[in-house]
Amino acid sequence: MAAGIVSPVRNCPSMMTGSALLVVAVLSVMMAAGGASALQSGFYASSCPQAEDTIYSTLQQLHANDPDLPPVLLRLHFHDCFVRGCDGSVLLQGSGTERTAPPNARLEGFAAIDAAKAAVDKLCPGVVSCADILAFAARDSVKMVGGPGWTVPAGRRDGTVSLASEASSNLPGAQMDVNQLTANFAKQGLTRDDMVILSGAHTIGEAACVHIDNRIYDYPSASGVDPLLPKDFAAKLKKKCSTRGLTDRKFDLDSGTSAVFDAQYYSNLAKRTGLLTSDQVLYEDARTRPLVMESSNKANFFPKFTQAMVKMSQISVLEGEQGQIRQRCGYVNA
C-alpha cells in the first residue's frame, strides 16, 4: 500500500460492485466538470446557523496578529481542491500525505483552520466539515483584505485519503507556460479563462525566491536573467534573492499592493513585473492577454473571480453519506 492516509473501505474494490464503481466514477467526472453537485447556499442555516459568522470572526481575530494569513488560507483552499477535489485532504497529517509533497512544503494556515473548527464545534459539535471551513476561510480571507465576498455553497464532506504523490502530479508549477497551465486546469474541469482569473489570487501573498531562480539566474541568456524583466525590477529581485535555491526568503507576488486584494496583479503583468513565469506568460501569450488587460479593472475582475472561486470550490466534492465530518481536521476519525 502506498504511503499516506487511505481509508481501507473506500479503497478496496472487492467491497464495491461494478455498477457501484461506475456510478462513483461518473459522479466524480461530472463534479469535476462543474456539474451534479448538490452543494447548497445556506447549508447550515438550520443545523448550525452561526457557523459562517463564527468562522469569519475567528479568522478576523487571527488576522489581526498575522497579516499574512489571508493569502495563506486562499492558497490552502486551492491546493486542496486540485488534489482529490475540495475534500479537506490537504489538511490531513501523517507520513506520505499531501502536506508532505514538495509543492506543499511551505503551506501554512493549518492552525487557523483548526481554530475555526474548534470555535464552530463549540456551537455545533460534529456538524460542519473541515472542507467547508476551508472554503469559507478562502472567501473570508479575500474579504478581509478588500476583495469581494460571495455566497459559498456548502455541504462538503471530509475525505479519508491523502497521498503526497497525487499532490505532486496535480498541482500547477511556477514555470508552466499557457499550454501547460490550460491542460492542468482542464483536468479539474476548469477553462483557460478560469485559469487566468484564478491566477489573480496572486494579487496577495508571496513566493519563495527559489521559484524565480529560472528568471534571474538560470534563464538561457548571457546574463542568466529573463530579458522580459525590466532592469530595475530584476535588480530588486536579485537583491532580495541573492543566491540560488533560497526557500526562506520571499518576494511579493504583487510588487505594488501585496496586502490588498485588488486588480494590480494584472497591471503588473502588462508592465512585465509579474513574479513567476506562470504569471508573466499570461500577458505574453496572445490567447490570454485580452483577459489579462480586461481584468486590470477590478470592476471586471471581481465578479469573474467570485464565479471562478465558486466553480473551483465544487470540484469533485464528497456529499451526503460520502466521507465523514472529521472531529479534528488533521486526522481521519477512528
Side-chain angles (χ1 to χ4, degrees):
M1 182 177 291
I5 293 179
V6 180
S7 163
V9 174
R10 284 187 61 202
N11 289 271
C12 181
S14 64
M15 299 187 71
M16 300 181 72
T17 66
S19 59
L21 284 169
L22 179 60
V23 169
V24 170
V26 170
L27 284 174
S28 296
V29 171
M30 292 175 70
M31 289 177 187
S37 172
L39 299 184
Q40 301 172 24
S41 301
F43 182 83
Y44 296 108
S46 298
S47 59
C48 194
Q50 295 179 314
E52 293 190 49
D53 287 343
T54 299
I55 293 166
Y56 186 80
S57 62
T58 300
L59 297 178
Q60 251 190 333
Q61 293 171 22
L62 294 172
H63 179 225
N65 296 314
D66 183 2
D68 294 330
L69 186 60
V72 160
L73 292 177
L74 186 55
R75 182 173 182 238
L76 193 58
H77 180 47
F78 180 94
H79 281 232
D80 181 41
C81 291
F82 266 55
V83 184
R84 291 194 161 263
C86 309
D87 67 346
S89 56
V90 74
L91 303 173
L92 289 171
Q93 299 186 44
S95 175
T97 58
E98 292 172 33
R99 287 172 67 161
T100 68
N104 289 335
R106 286 172 291 279
L107 278 185
E108 301 174 83
F110 300 103
I113 298 300
D114 289 341
K117 171 69 170 172
V120 168
D121 274 3
K122 283 183 180 179
L123 301 175
C124 322
V127 172
V128 183
S129 70
C130 299
D132 273 345
I133 290 172
L134 193 47
F136 291 137
R139 183 267 316 272
D140 295 345
S141 296
V142 171
K143 284 182 62 178
M144 282 189 285
V145 288
W150 62 89
T151 299
V152 176
R156 297 166 191 79
R157 303 269 291 180
D158 296 322
T160 57
V161 178
S162 184
L163 298 171
S165 59
E166 295 183 342
S168 296
S169 62
N170 282 287
L171 291 166
Q175 297 184 29
M176 285 185 172
D177 61 24
V178 168
N179 287 335
Q180 293 168 319
L181 289 167
T182 300
N184 180 274
F185 277 65
K187 289 196 302 182
Q188 309 298 338
L190 299 170
T191 67
R192 187 169 61 204
D193 282 0
D194 292 330
M195 178 269 291
V196 174
I197 295 300
L198 289 170
S199 295
H202 285 180
T203 193
I204 54 176
E206 304 169 311
C209 286
V210 67
H211 294 305
I212 58 170
D213 283 353
N214 69 305
R215 300 198 73 196
I216 59 175
Y217 291 113
D218 300 326
Y219 194 86
S221 66
S223 65
V225 176
D226 185 343
L228 287 176
L229 289 169
K231 289 184 179 180
D232 59 338
F233 187 56
K236 288 181 183 178
L237 294 177
K238 295 190 80 167
K239 183 176 181 179
K240 181 71 175 284
C241 304
S242 54
T243 188
R244 292 178 178 84
L246 295 176
T247 59
D248 58 342
R249 291 191 194 175
K250 300 177 182 179
F251 203 93
D252 291 338
L253 287 161
D254 171 357
S255 57
T257 56
S258 64
V260 179
F261 195 96
D262 54 21
Q264 183 64 39
Y265 165 82
Y266 297 103
S267 298
N268 292 343
L269 300 186
K271 294 185 293 185
R272 295 200 161 113
T273 56
L275 186 65
L276 306 176
T277 296
S278 57
D279 293 324
Q280 193 57 51
V281 293
L282 303 182
Y283 179 77
E284 305 307 323
D285 194 298
R287 294 168 296 177
T288 48
R289 181 181 290 188
L291 186 54
V292 166
M293 299 306 296
E294 177 185 332
S295 299
S296 63
N297 182 335
K298 70 179 183 180
N300 296 326
F301 170 50
F302 280 10
K304 291 181 184 296
F305 184 78
T306 62
Q307 292 167 13
M309 284 296 293
V310 170
K311 183 177 179 180
M312 185 189 77
S313 76
Q314 299 184 73
I315 295 173
S316 299
V317 294
L318 302 177
E319 300 168 304
E321 297 302 315
Q322 298 174 312
Q324 59 185 214
I325 304 295
R326 285 187 217 136
Q327 296 169 354
R328 291 190 296 167
C329 290
Y331 303 91
V332 172
N333 298 342

